[in-house]
Amino acid sequence: MVVGVNGVVEPGAALERASARDVVMAYVSLTKPRVIELLLLTTVPVMFFAAGGVPGLGLVVATVLGGALSAGSASVFNCVYDRDIDEQMRRTRRRALPRHIISPRAALVFGFVLGILSTVILYAWVNPLSAGLSVAANAFYVFGYTMLLKRRTTQNIVWGGIAGCFPALIGWTAVTNELAWAPVVLFGVVFFWTPPHTWALALRYREDYKQVDVPMLPVVRSARTVARQIIAYSWVMVATSLVLWPVAGTGLLYPIAAAVLGAVFLVQAHQLERRARDTEDLSVIRPMHLFHSSNLYLSLLFVAVAIDPLLR
């Protein structure tokens, strides 16, 4: 069934029977929980770093809750706008809107509610600066990436990925109520991490993107060219991660972790390029290996960010 804003079944495209649990889970899925997890992973460790130790529990809870609702809101708007192409792509056709479990209007209202709640929580229990940054990230993801860049340029994820860098700033401002160079460096790390991470995934699903005319780089360039771009961004990412040491005066744990994790990631990026030199066969290139490694790299790097001040 298609559930409207007031719970009334709406007419329209082919309907799919769904239980109350299915509908609830469909709403949850619209927020893309795995993306929220990744964004919070770059928020909380920065709060530890900014506090020079363990930040207040209440502040962490408010920041996490507000950040999760904001990220969820942006994802809902993305799902509403992209529902036409989501219905055609293998990776996304089982989402709630393509399956017609939730109506676009109901999803839109849900997105606004999440965004408003997020702003209120961050403004009232964190600070206005963090709330403003959260609104800016949400707006940039929806209007900048989803509506303007995604379907028009191969650089869509490069510049659109800026929205995913804001949690580093928000985690810092939540504790200090001001910006500084340290969170800007971490913003840069996430910025240069995003293309290798996303292009590896897009390489795996390039036929999906090609089918719906979304010009992700792997759609319009060879696998080897994509791999070379991944290598270039990876080198800059690792170099940027090491800049935090002199800029923020970290202990030795962070630069050692950044160097080791960066070296491992660079080896994997170069291995991807070697596998892609003479073939377009994805079973040989294995791009998802780098995709999963990129998640582990960012996770462990920000764990080091959190632990470093505890050891000083």
Side-chain angles (χ1 to χ4, degrees), residues 1-210:
M1 63 180 173
V2 180
V3 182
V5 177
N6 57 4
V8 177
V9 175
E10 296 184 353
L15 307 183
E16 179 171 318
R17 293 183 178 276
S19 65
R21 181 180 182 280
D22 289 334
V23 174
V24 170
M25 294 308 297
Y27 274 104
V28 172
S29 70
L30 285 176
T31 66
K32 301 181 182 179
R34 290 185 179 179
V35 174
I36 292 176
E37 290 175 9
L38 195 60
L39 294 176
L40 294 180
L41 182 66
T42 59
T43 303
V44 177
V46 176
M47 295 183 72
F48 277 72
F49 195 74
V54 181
L57 178 60
L59 181 63
V60 173
V61 171
T63 305
V64 166
L65 180 58
L69 292 174
S70 178
S73 171
S75 292
V76 172
F77 291 136
N78 172 265
C79 287
V80 172
Y81 189 83
D82 279 348
R83 64 187 185 277
D84 58 330
I85 61 176
D86 282 351
E87 195 161 3
Q88 301 176 57
M89 295 173 63
R90 283 182 306 156
R91 188 172 65 89
T92 56
R93 64 177 53 156
R94 297 303 296 169
R95 287 178 177 174
L97 291 174
R99 292 170 60 198
H100 308 292
I101 295 178
I102 300 170
S103 73
R105 185 176 64 171
L108 198 61
V109 171
F110 182 53
F112 276 113
V113 169
L114 293 181
I116 292 169
L117 285 175
S118 165
T119 304
V120 169
I121 290 170
L122 291 173
Y123 189 93
W125 286 288
V126 182
N127 57 57
L129 178 56
S130 297
L133 289 170
S134 177
V135 171
N138 192 323
F140 190 85
Y141 182 74
V142 175
F143 296 108
Y145 172 66
T146 302
M147 299 178 69
L148 181 63
L149 296 171
K150 182 175 181 178
R151 306 192 193 198
R152 290 180 172 86
T153 172
T154 59
Q155 296 298 298
N156 48 19
I157 197 60
V158 175
W159 301 108
I162 288 175
C165 305
F166 272 80
L169 303 181
I170 294 169
W172 183 275
T173 59
V175 174
T176 66
N177 199 22
E178 63 182 11
L179 288 170
W181 282 112
V184 171
V185 171
L186 293 171
F187 179 104
V189 172
V190 180
F191 177 80
F192 292 114
W193 168 87
T194 301
H197 169 78
T198 308
W199 285 335
L201 180 66
L203 190 58
R204 167 65 179 83
Y205 292 102
R206 62 184 175 184
E207 293 303 320
D208 270 3
Y209 288 110
K210 183 178 181 179

Side-chain angles (χ1 to χ4, degrees), residues 290-307:
L290 185 71
F291 172 78
H292 294 304
S293 294
S294 69
N295 285 330
L296 184 60
Y297 166 84
L298 196 70
S299 301
L300 293 179
L301 184 73
F302 274 81
V303 167
V305 168
I307 295 176

